[in-house]
Amino acid sequence: MDSSAYKRQVAGVFDDSAARYDRMGVEFFTPMGRRLVELAAPTAGERVLDVGCGRGASLFPAAERVGPRGRVLGIDLAPAMVEEVGKEIAARGLSHVEARVMDAESPELPARAFDVLLGGYSIIFLPDAPGALSRYTEFLGDGGRIAFTSPVFRAGTFPFLPPEFTPLIPSSLLGHLPPEWRPEALVRRFNSWLEDAGDLAATLERAGYREVRVLDEPVRMTAESPERWVEWSHTQGMRLLWQNLPAPQAEDLRARLVEGLDRLRGGSGPVVIEVPVRFVTARVARG
């Protein structure tokens, strides 16, 4: 994988969707971010680094917990995303919170400057995520904590979406994805160390952590309607698929998703799906 090209691609996807990201009538990242912060348990006065902060799903709950005597820094590769979250920081008057454009794989930050490091659906997408996890120990003080989320990877299911979506997305469409995002490449890249909890724990221990805990827990995704979920999917990672599909196939997929989600909700009202999420916490072995 060309990591520079990959990062430009990812930044472009999220720059294009920054204004609408997590603001489309679908609840998922916000409850997941709150739960992640609960498990990380930052306390008053602590210093928090939020890697891949997006629109602040973890950043703002962390800011509430550490209070004005603490500090929260959010970093993201997408300038437009940082601009949007910066506006909200200013609107809320949070002088102890900051957002910066930064490459999360090799952040330029002082050593031992943070007590807690968060990563909501972000760290695992770095070109060399295990290497980045090892480097993150440098930014955490003695006994500092890390907490991040990942999809629960299972062989035979469509990556990054709840299992309910696997039969709704024809495998023939996935050939339109860039090569590094096709299922076989994703299995090699993610399942190899994230699918098995033991492999994941061993990776973190080799990176310099202890007290590794892996918790698989559902997060409720709620969409106002099937159509709203499809619109929302254009602002998330699935945007890569939409961007690369020819118009007839895109329209067919949209119809399949709306019909499938309509069946799933069983009538009127919102679409509610329990999404399996893996929450990982650990402590730096030093200290």
Side-chain angles (χ1 to χ4, degrees), residues 2-25:
D2 180 338
S3 63
S4 297
Y6 168 83
K7 289 174 184 177
R8 287 195 298 272
Q9 183 183 61
V10 171
V13 165
F14 289 104
D15 267 338
D16 291 344
S17 61
R20 297 180 296 152
Y21 184 83
D22 208 19
R23 301 294 188 276
M24 295 286 293

Side-chain angles (χ1 to χ4, degrees), residues 1 6-7 51 103-106 122-130 132-133 136 189-190:
M1 182 196 305
Y6 168 83
K7 289 174 184 177
V51 172
D103 184 345
E105 193 166 33
S106 299
S122 58
I123 293 171
I124 65 163
F125 291 103
L126 300 175
D128 178 17
L133 287 166
Y136 290 165
R189 184 172 157 206
F190 295 105

